[in-house]
């Protein structure tokens, strides 16, 4: 093929790196294509040569982390046990979040990103399956709240500028322990379960 | 005074209500003064008559919750014991977060809001003091990570659209229990403390 893939690949990566830094500082909404172009010293037209839109850039910035999670899902789905699958997803999310610390800040928090992820079928499949594996078939109100605290809390903490001095290994260890506590069954759960289920109903997960 | 405070107060509140709904859906960056004006069916000039800028509107939307937290801080500061002060702040933050559920979504997540809060001295004092009271004088790396998970996780969960069906009382109870778990000393903490402190150093909180 005559297409100059190597230089184009390099130019693409420069756009993605610049976009990531700007998204982290200003959010996706607060970043313009012009700001991205200015940061790497090229024209807006040069950026448009590589990407259709700012949303297109944001999706490409996220793509490696989503592809990693798709692999973790395949690993989890191969396991026969519900609890084991869930543990793989929890551990995989923490690993990914720590590895992509700069990404985490806008992946979990920016409403523009939520809309974007849902608009890309390939990404939506991954986030939906993560949720299914985490929720299992028997999810109480307390479980749902705990999952929400886990997803926002752990992912945002990884990206907290106040924790930038904490090294990846230590952060990973602490987040794993916190996640175990957050996702363990709650005392209030039995009360909530009693209110929403027949006491005699047997649970088959 | 001849100033027509009552109708102006009403018009102000309509702007604030419209702005809150738009901020929650699109973030502060993604919301324009024109969108706010359109939503309540007035001109942009009419909005400018009430507020200097979009940032001014965002600060006013946040003001009641910040004033509530200032009161909680006064209550906490009156207590002699460090742990008791901390418990009041944790409980106060959860109570405030549940009461202002729609606010929480953009208070914790939107980078524009962070910048805005720090730019308003009156607000900055409150957020700084909350952090001081939560951190105490002897804060390990694990404590700092746990605090970050608590602040993002609990506050974002309250605003999670997926939990909109959970009533305030139940949400409050579950978040309080989760916070207790998140903020309890970690097993990894002793290792971290050992690495950063002399083992013989006595802790005076």
């Amino acid at each position: 093929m005559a297409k100059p893939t190597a230089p184009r690949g390099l130019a693409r990566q420069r756009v993605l790196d610049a976009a990531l830094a700007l998204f982290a500082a200003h959010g996706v909404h607060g970043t313009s294509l012009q700001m991205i172009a200015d940061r790497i010293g090229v024209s807006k037209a040069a950026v448009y040569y590589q990407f259709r839109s700012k949303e297109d850039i944001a999706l490409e910035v996220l793509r490696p982390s989503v592809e990693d999670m798709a692999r973790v899902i395949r690993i989890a789905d191969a396991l026969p046990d519900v609890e084991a699958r869930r543990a793989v997803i929890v551990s995989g999310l923490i690993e990914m979040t720590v590895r992509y610390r700069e990404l985490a800040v806008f992946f979990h928090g920016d409403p523009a990103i939520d809309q974007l992820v849902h608009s890309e079928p390939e990404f939506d499949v991954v986030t939906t399956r993560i949720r299914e594996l985490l929720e299992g078939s028997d999810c109480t109100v307390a479980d749902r709240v705990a999952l929400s605290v886990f997803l926002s809390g752990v992912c945002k903490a990884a990206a907290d500028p106040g924790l930038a001095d904490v090294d990846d290994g230590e952060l990973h260890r602490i987040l794993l322990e916190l996640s175990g506590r957050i996702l363990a069954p709650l005392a209030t759960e039995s009360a909530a379960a009693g209110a929403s289920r027949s006491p005699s109903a047997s649970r088959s997960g």
Side-chain angles (χ1 to χ4, degrees), chain A:
Chain A
M1 280 191 276
K3 224 178 160 198
T5 47
R8 186 175 163 128
L10 205 67
R12 271 181 77 87
Q13 198 51 52
R14 287 183 65 211
V15 172
L16 294 176
D17 292 345
L20 173 55
L22 290 165
F23 291 162
H26 309 286
V28 174
H29 267 304
T31 301
S32 65
L33 268 174
Q34 188 63 59
M35 287 160 75
I36 297 170
D38 288 348
R39 193 178 171 101
I40 50 177
V42 300
S43 68
K44 231 166 96 171
V47 177
Y48 271 123
Y49 178 73
Q50 310 280 353
F51 296 97
R52 282 185 308 255
S53 63
K54 184 176 71 175
E55 286 67 31
D56 190 25
I57 296 174
L59 285 175
E60 289 312 307
V61 166
L62 293 176
R63 190 171 298 280
S65 61
V66 176
E67 286 175 350
D68 279 2
M69 274 316 296
R71 276 191 289 274
V72 173
I73 290 171
R74 282 195 292 276
I75 293 167
D77 275 336
L79 301 175
D81 178 61
V82 175
E83 279 312 308
R85 286 206 289 269
R86 193 167 186 247
V88 167
I89 294 296
V90 168
S91 177
L93 276 173
I94 293 172
E95 198 276 336
M96 183 197 77
T97 303
V98 172
R99 190 145 44 92
Y100 296 96
R101 280 166 86 166
E102 316 92 316
L103 270 183
V105 74
F106 73 98
F107 207 151
H108 292 268
D110 195 322
I113 291 287
D114 278 353
Q115 285 166 24
L116 210 55
V117 166
H118 287 302
S119 72
E120 176 81 359
E122 206 184 324
F123 287 18
D124 196 37
V125 164
V126 170
T127 55
T128 303
R129 186 68 188 134
I130 288 173
R131 214 159 237 293
E132 284 169 3
L133 285 164
L134 288 174
E135 288 183 350
S137 58
D138 193 30
C139 192
T140 64
V141 169
D143 290 336
R144 284 163 54 212
V145 175
L147 263 182
S148 179
V149 169
F150 163 68
L151 287 170
S152 330
V154 167
C155 298
K156 289 278 293 182
D160 187 340
L163 301 175
D165 63 313
V166 181
D167 77 61
D168 289 359
E170 185 168 12
L171 184 64
H172 188 275
R173 229 174 15 251
I174 299 170
L175 289 179
L176 209 55
E177 184 171 342
L178 286 172
S179 302
R181 294 173 173 212
I182 293 168
L183 297 173
L186 291 190
T188 45
E189 191 167 15
S190 48
S196 64
R197 287 192 207 114
S198 154
S200 62
S202 76
R203 302 198 205 176
S204 56

